[in-house]
Amino acid sequence: MKLFNFLFLSLVMSCCMGLQAQQRDWPGLNRYAHDNQTVARQSEQARRVVFMGNSITDNWARFHPEFFTDNGYVGRGISGQTSYQFLLRFREDVILLHPKLVVINAGTNDIAENIGPYNEDYTFGNIVSMVELAQANHIKVILTSVLPAASFGWNPAIKDAAFKIAKLNARIALYAGQHGIPYVDYYGKLVFGDDKALNPAYTKDGVHPTPAGYEVMEALIKEAIARELE
């Protein structure tokens, strides 16, 4: 019995320590720390484009890894993250890899209020800051739209997701146009219905694309990257 109690207590303490470590690494710097060292040693062709994002980017690299490896793309998505966290890890996960170009997809989890109330000015400011950091380090930028979503299953209290997404996308597109930055409109190809949802042909949960959805996105982003780099 004493041995069982000791083992149980050890397990609880281990879980608590793991949770505390995750909380201490709020930006997610540890997620790609080891892989970044490996990528940084690869040829420029193998790391010419970094995709910065949340679970949509994270899942993309897992569902279709060949799209990344075959084209010299590097996925740096972390599930659940907001633009605030992207900005904090931008140096480690983008700048220090010395890519030629970064693709930024931000806003979904900000609007879903994953870390607190949504403030469009702050989210937009985070995106602009990432653009400026990239340009200061001679890295080209492609900005992309937030994907459509009528609601968020993990936060049903958000009732105006579609409106906020459309409004933020319009602001990002305007900024991109004013500053000569390519803007890729995933939204226009994926939106469906009067409620401006993610087309059910391309999703199972209303937020994340299926492989069929990623195929649509891949055609759009690959063409935009080619125009910038080739």
Short mmCIF file of all heavy atoms in Angstrom, two decimals, residues 5 12-13 17 34 37 43 57 64 67 88 94 97 101-102 104-105 108 114 140 156 162 172 213 224 227:
data_model
loop_
_atom_site.label_atom_id
_atom_site.label_comp_id
_atom_site.label_asym_id
_atom_site.label_seq_id
_atom_site.Cartn_x
_atom_site.Cartn_y
_atom_site.Cartn_z
N ASN A 5 0.88 4.17 -2.83
CA ASN A 5 0.68 5.59 -2.52
C ASN A 5 1.84 6.42 -3.03
O ASN A 5 1.66 7.53 -3.54
CB ASN A 5 0.52 5.79 -1.01
CG ASN A 5 -0.80 5.25 -0.50
OD1 ASN A 5 -1.75 5.09 -1.28
ND2 ASN A 5 -0.87 4.94 0.79
N VAL A 12 1.09 12.01 -9.80
CA VAL A 12 0.40 13.30 -9.67
C VAL A 12 1.38 14.45 -9.75
O VAL A 12 1.16 15.45 -10.44
CB VAL A 12 -0.40 13.35 -8.35
CG1 VAL A 12 -0.92 14.76 -8.10
CG2 VAL A 12 -1.54 12.36 -8.38
N MET A 13 2.51 14.31 -9.03
CA MET A 13 3.51 15.38 -9.05
C MET A 13 4.09 15.55 -10.45
O MET A 13 4.33 16.68 -10.90
CB MET A 13 4.63 15.05 -8.06
CG MET A 13 4.20 15.14 -6.60
SD MET A 13 5.53 14.71 -5.46
CE MET A 13 6.70 16.01 -5.79
N MET A 17 3.90 18.94 -12.58
CA MET A 17 5.12 19.59 -13.08
C MET A 17 5.05 19.80 -14.59
O MET A 17 5.48 20.82 -15.11
CB MET A 17 6.34 18.76 -12.70
CG MET A 17 6.66 18.77 -11.21
SD MET A 17 7.99 17.63 -10.77
CE MET A 17 9.37 18.38 -11.63
N HIS A 34 14.05 21.88 -30.77
CA HIS A 34 15.01 20.89 -31.28
C HIS A 34 14.97 20.85 -32.80
O HIS A 34 16.03 20.84 -33.46
CB HIS A 34 14.69 19.51 -30.72
CG HIS A 34 15.60 18.42 -31.22
ND1 HIS A 34 16.92 18.31 -30.81
CD2 HIS A 34 15.39 17.42 -32.12
CE1 HIS A 34 17.47 17.28 -31.43
NE2 HIS A 34 16.57 16.73 -32.22
N GLN A 37 16.87 23.60 -34.68
CA GLN A 37 18.32 23.41 -34.81
C GLN A 37 18.65 22.58 -36.04
O GLN A 37 19.62 22.87 -36.76
CB GLN A 37 18.87 22.74 -33.54
CG GLN A 37 18.73 23.59 -32.30
CD GLN A 37 19.24 22.87 -31.06
OE1 GLN A 37 19.98 21.89 -31.15
NE2 GLN A 37 18.84 23.33 -29.89
N SER A 43 19.87 23.01 -46.16
CA SER A 43 20.12 23.93 -47.27
C SER A 43 19.04 25.01 -47.31
O SER A 43 17.93 24.82 -46.79
CB SER A 43 20.12 23.16 -48.59
OG SER A 43 18.82 22.68 -48.88
N THR A 57 -2.47 25.35 -39.48
CA THR A 57 -1.14 25.12 -40.05
C THR A 57 -0.52 23.85 -39.49
O THR A 57 0.12 23.07 -40.21
CB THR A 57 -0.24 26.33 -39.77
OG1 THR A 57 -0.82 27.49 -40.35
CG2 THR A 57 1.16 26.12 -40.33
N HIS A 64 -0.45 16.43 -44.63
CA HIS A 64 0.19 16.37 -45.94
C HIS A 64 1.65 16.82 -45.84
O HIS A 64 2.02 17.85 -46.40
CB HIS A 64 -0.58 17.25 -46.94
CG HIS A 64 -0.22 16.98 -48.35
ND1 HIS A 64 -0.73 17.70 -49.42
CD2 HIS A 64 0.62 16.05 -48.93
CE1 HIS A 64 -0.23 17.24 -50.55
NE2 HIS A 64 0.59 16.25 -50.28
N PHE A 67 3.72 17.95 -48.95
CA PHE A 67 3.54 19.30 -49.50
C PHE A 67 4.61 20.24 -48.97
O PHE A 67 5.09 21.13 -49.67
CB PHE A 67 2.15 19.82 -49.14
CG PHE A 67 1.89 21.24 -49.58
CD1 PHE A 67 1.78 21.56 -50.92
CD2 PHE A 67 1.75 22.25 -48.64
CE1 PHE A 67 1.54 22.87 -51.32
CE2 PHE A 67 1.51 23.56 -49.04
CZ PHE A 67 1.40 23.87 -50.39
N LEU A 88 5.55 36.28 -30.06
CA LEU A 88 6.58 35.97 -29.08
C LEU A 88 7.57 34.91 -29.57
O LEU A 88 8.73 34.92 -29.18
CB LEU A 88 5.94 35.51 -27.77
CG LEU A 88 5.30 36.63 -26.93
CD1 LEU A 88 4.52 36.03 -25.76
CD2 LEU A 88 6.33 37.60 -26.42
N VAL A 94 10.86 31.61 -36.95
CA VAL A 94 10.92 32.15 -38.31
C VAL A 94 12.27 32.79 -38.60
O VAL A 94 13.05 32.30 -39.42
CB VAL A 94 9.78 33.17 -38.57
CG1 VAL A 94 9.90 33.74 -39.99
CG2 VAL A 94 8.42 32.53 -38.38
N LEU A 97 15.56 30.83 -38.68
CA LEU A 97 15.65 29.80 -39.71
C LEU A 97 16.10 30.40 -41.04
O LEU A 97 16.40 29.65 -41.98
CB LEU A 97 14.29 29.11 -39.89
CG LEU A 97 13.73 28.38 -38.66
CD1 LEU A 97 12.43 27.69 -39.00
CD2 LEU A 97 14.75 27.38 -38.10
N LEU A 101 10.96 33.51 -47.25
CA LEU A 101 9.59 34.02 -47.18
C LEU A 101 8.86 33.38 -46.00
O LEU A 101 9.11 32.22 -45.67
CB LEU A 101 8.87 33.69 -48.49
CG LEU A 101 7.46 34.22 -48.72
CD1 LEU A 101 7.24 34.46 -50.22
CD2 LEU A 101 6.40 33.25 -48.22
N VAL A 102 7.95 34.13 -45.40
CA VAL A 102 7.08 33.59 -44.35
C VAL A 102 5.63 33.80 -44.75
O VAL A 102 5.25 34.86 -45.26
CB VAL A 102 7.36 34.24 -42.98
CG1 VAL A 102 7.13 35.75 -43.00
CG2 VAL A 102 6.51 33.60 -41.89
N ILE A 104 1.95 33.98 -43.18
CA ILE A 104 1.34 34.21 -41.87
C ILE A 104 -0.17 34.00 -41.96
O ILE A 104 -0.85 34.63 -42.76
CB ILE A 104 1.64 35.63 -41.36
CG1 ILE A 104 3.15 35.85 -41.23
CG2 ILE A 104 0.94 35.88 -40.02
CD1 ILE A 104 3.55 37.28 -40.90
N ASN A 105 -0.67 33.11 -41.11
CA ASN A 105 -2.11 32.88 -41.00
C ASN A 105 -2.51 33.03 -39.54
O ASN A 105 -2.24 32.16 -38.72
CB ASN A 105 -2.49 31.50 -41.53
CG ASN A 105 -3.98 31.24 -41.45
OD1 ASN A 105 -4.44 30.49 -40.60
ND2 ASN A 105 -4.75 31.87 -42.32
N THR A 108 -7.77 33.25 -36.05
CA THR A 108 -8.86 32.35 -35.66
C THR A 108 -9.02 32.26 -34.15
O THR A 108 -10.11 32.45 -33.60
CB THR A 108 -8.64 30.94 -36.25
OG1 THR A 108 -8.65 31.02 -37.68
CG2 THR A 108 -9.72 29.98 -35.79
N ASN A 114 -9.38 32.53 -27.18
CA ASN A 114 -8.65 31.47 -26.49
C ASN A 114 -7.89 31.96 -25.27
O ASN A 114 -7.67 31.19 -24.33
CB ASN A 114 -7.68 30.78 -27.45
CG ASN A 114 -8.36 29.74 -28.31
OD1 ASN A 114 -9.56 29.75 -28.50
ND2 ASN A 114 -7.57 28.81 -28.85
N LYS A 140 10.70 37.93 -47.08
CA LYS A 140 9.45 38.32 -47.74
C LYS A 140 8.25 37.76 -46.97
O LYS A 140 8.38 36.80 -46.21
CB LYS A 140 9.44 37.81 -49.18
CG LYS A 140 10.49 38.47 -50.07
CD LYS A 140 10.37 37.96 -51.50
CE LYS A 140 11.37 38.66 -52.42
NZ LYS A 140 11.24 38.21 -53.83
N PRO A 156 -18.82 28.21 -27.53
CA PRO A 156 -20.11 28.56 -28.15
C PRO A 156 -20.63 29.93 -27.75
O PRO A 156 -21.61 30.41 -28.34
CB PRO A 156 -21.05 27.44 -27.64
CG PRO A 156 -20.40 26.93 -26.40
CD PRO A 156 -18.92 27.05 -26.63
N ALA A 162 -18.47 34.98 -37.61
CA ALA A 162 -18.42 35.25 -39.05
C ALA A 162 -18.21 36.74 -39.33
O ALA A 162 -17.43 37.11 -40.22
CB ALA A 162 -19.71 34.76 -39.72
N ILE A 172 -6.85 43.14 -43.09
CA ILE A 172 -5.57 42.56 -43.50
C ILE A 172 -5.37 42.76 -45.00
O ILE A 172 -4.28 43.12 -45.46
CB ILE A 172 -5.52 41.05 -43.15
CG1 ILE A 172 -5.58 40.84 -41.64
CG2 ILE A 172 -4.24 40.42 -43.71
CD1 ILE A 172 -5.76 39.39 -41.23
N GLY A 213 -9.97 20.25 -48.08
CA GLY A 213 -9.85 21.69 -47.87
C GLY A 213 -8.42 22.17 -48.05
O GLY A 213 -8.19 23.25 -48.64
N ALA A 224 1.02 31.65 -55.17
CA ALA A 224 1.49 32.94 -54.63
C ALA A 224 2.97 32.88 -54.28
O ALA A 224 3.71 33.84 -54.53
CB ALA A 224 0.66 33.30 -53.39
N ARG A 227 5.12 33.07 -57.41
CA ARG A 227 5.22 34.43 -57.95
C ARG A 227 6.26 35.25 -57.20
O ARG A 227 6.94 36.10 -57.78
CB ARG A 227 3.86 35.13 -57.87
CG ARG A 227 2.85 34.69 -58.92
CD ARG A 227 1.72 35.68 -59.04
NE ARG A 227 1.00 35.86 -57.81
CZ ARG A 227 -0.10 35.16 -57.49
NH1 ARG A 227 -0.58 34.26 -58.34
NH2 ARG A 227 -0.71 35.37 -56.34
#
